[in-house]
Amino acid sequence: MVEKNFNKISDRMSEFVNNGLFPGIEWIICHSGSKTKGSVGYMNLKTQQKMIEQPIYRIWSMTKPIVSIAVMQLIEKKFLRLEDELQKILPMFKHLKTMINPIGDINDTTNLNTAPTILDLISHTAGFSYHFLGDPVGIAYDKVGFLKPANTSLEEEIEKLANIPLLFQPKQKWQYSVSVDILGRVIEVITKQSLRDYLMENIFEPLNMKDTDFYVPQEKQERVMTSYCYDIDKKTLLNWERDNYENQSIANFSYPLDEPKQFARGGHGLYSSTEDYSNFSEMLLTGKSQTGKHIIGLENLLLMTTNSISEKLLPLEIKHIDDQESLNFFEPYSFGLGFRIKLNIKSDNNSNPGEFGWAGAASTFFFVDPTEQLTAVIMTQTLNGNYYLKDIDFINLIYSEIK
């Protein structure tokens, strides 16, 4: 790759910043042994502090692929099986029911035809939902305060779900959900470790992800980018302040900065840097760290990054109640085990079939393309941001230079 070609990415991301859509943006692109870094904009709009070396970000749902790798490590070690029923590990879910009509009365339920399994959880077909999807189950999560406290353990949070029905029968639909939070608790029960300790020992330390954790030490906090929420009506970025948003909004989830006594979540909650997440993304090409440490076997990595969703459940869509997007980014994708998987269909996204990755609520995003030996990570901190335009442009500008 020629360095000047990446001026196109810098120029385009500068436009987004100058138009008030994002505070600052940073990216790392690794392709066939070369690494290119770039950044534009500000750490904090009020102080006009420019981007620094190695900012730290709340990565929200980019926590999920990390936890999914941890689950597959346990499967590889035969501590867990994809076909294991959830109730076998977490008996609190033994009496789960499901809604008869997913848009009906949440009290109108029936028995499950089949119990949700680890496979259902990691592929988002178990029947759970999310607050911000606007369905009756998501509303119930909101009412019991699921994921809102910053001072509760993962065990305490998952217990809140035991008496809330599923939205649909397992395996009948793809629905983005809190299932990876549940898997985080499964990891704790199986390993008899906290989720944080397991991830630190088995993923973060081997991959030299030294800035990735469920909190930021005091001496690193000045490196945390200020978080914003894009106000669609005012067309401006406002400081993110929890509990100031409509019920069910993901912006109300807790995300403590200081060292928590017990805070950890499976579906969000991690802080990371672009460099750290690039190390994680690069591992997804080989299953090994840059120094050759085994993280996950190639067979399981291939399983995770192969489509696991039947055609009748497509297209995938995640429609937030506060989403400003009218276009569906996920239309050309299916889902594997923890990752979106690009299908071989025409779209305005120029990545190759088999490209995989995920994103976070504050407009963080990454992808991996094994065909091109390519990984790319882009970070910013805007909830309710125009991710579709940014991510599509990021993808397409990269592929315009490597093809």
Side-chain angles (χ1 to χ4, degrees), residues 344-401:
N344 190 13
I345 60 177
K346 188 176 180 180
S347 72
D348 56 0
N349 174 340
N350 293 335
S351 66
N352 290 321
E355 170 257 301
F356 64 91
W358 202 239
S363 306
T364 59
F365 177 86
F366 83 103
F367 72 88
V368 177
D369 183 344
T371 303
E372 298 287 349
Q373 290 294 290
L374 168 69
T375 68
V377 181
I378 187 166
M379 298 282 206
T380 184
Q381 292 286 260
T382 299
L383 291 156
N384 203 27
N386 194 328
Y387 61 85
Y388 185 96
L389 192 60
K390 172 180 67 66
D391 297 342
I392 290 291
D393 282 0
F394 183 59
I395 289 170
N396 290 349
L397 285 170
I398 292 172
Y399 277 90
S400 71
E401 302 302 339

Side-chain angles (χ1 to χ4, degrees), residues 21-175:
L21 296 174
F22 304 98
I25 304 172
E26 182 190 18
W27 59 91
I28 293 180
I29 303 159
C30 297
H31 179 237
S32 298
S34 68
K35 178 184 285 191
T36 301
K37 303 179 184 181
S39 67
V40 296
Y42 304 93
M43 296 287 294
N44 182 298
L45 292 174
K46 183 178 180 180
T47 65
Q48 292 286 286
Q49 179 190 6
K50 290 192 177 294
M51 293 290 285
I52 62 170
E53 287 291 319
Q54 305 243 6
I56 294 173
Y57 307 87
R58 291 173 169 91
I59 62 169
W60 292 86
S61 284
M62 276 167 54
T63 301
K64 290 182 174 73
I66 293 172
V67 172
S68 297
I69 286 288
V71 169
M72 294 304 291
Q73 286 178 330
L74 297 182
I75 288 171
E76 187 168 274
K77 295 170 184 174
K78 303 194 184 307
F79 295 149
L80 192 62
R81 300 180 306 162
L82 284 171
E83 59 267 32
D84 283 343
E85 294 181 352
L86 175 60
Q87 64 188 27
K88 171 186 170 184
I89 303 147
L90 300 180
M92 70 183 77
F93 289 107
K94 190 175 293 185
H95 304 294
L96 265 181
K97 303 276 189 181
T98 184
M99 292 183 64
I100 293 174
N101 180 353
I103 59 172
D105 186 339
I106 196 167
N107 297 307
D108 192 7
T109 62
T110 188
N111 293 328
L112 299 184
N113 295 332
T114 181
T117 63
I118 300 302
L119 176 59
D120 297 327
L121 290 163
I122 201 169
S123 61
H124 292 286
T125 58
F128 294 96
S129 187
Y130 245 132
H131 312 52
F132 50 80
L133 297 180
D135 54 67
V137 170
I139 292 171
Y141 295 166
D142 201 64
K143 285 181 177 177
V144 299
F146 182 59
L147 298 179
K148 292 188 176 181
N151 59 353
T152 53
S153 67
L154 187 53
E155 178 181 11
E156 290 172 305
E157 287 301 302
I158 298 307
E159 284 176 353
K160 295 176 182 178
L161 301 177
N163 296 316
I164 298 174
L166 298 177
L167 188 63
F168 51 86
Q169 293 281 356
K171 300 178 176 63
Q172 297 306 301
K173 185 180 178 183
W174 188 89
Q175 173 95 351

Side-chain angles (χ1 to χ4, degrees), residues 283-327:
M283 177 276 294
L284 295 174
L285 289 171
T286 64
K288 296 180 180 180
S289 74
Q290 292 172 358
T291 58
K293 293 177 183 174
H294 178 93
I295 305 296
I296 189 79
L298 283 175
E299 184 178 346
N300 280 310
L301 190 56
L302 180 63
L303 181 63
M304 295 184 76
T305 56
T306 300
N307 178 28
S308 69
I309 304 299
S310 69
E311 191 172 342
K312 68 179 182 180
L313 303 186
L314 300 177
L316 307 186
E317 186 171 19
I318 303 173
K319 194 66 178 173
H320 296 213
I321 55 171
D322 53 2
D323 201 340
Q324 64 167 300
E325 302 295 343
S326 58
L327 300 170

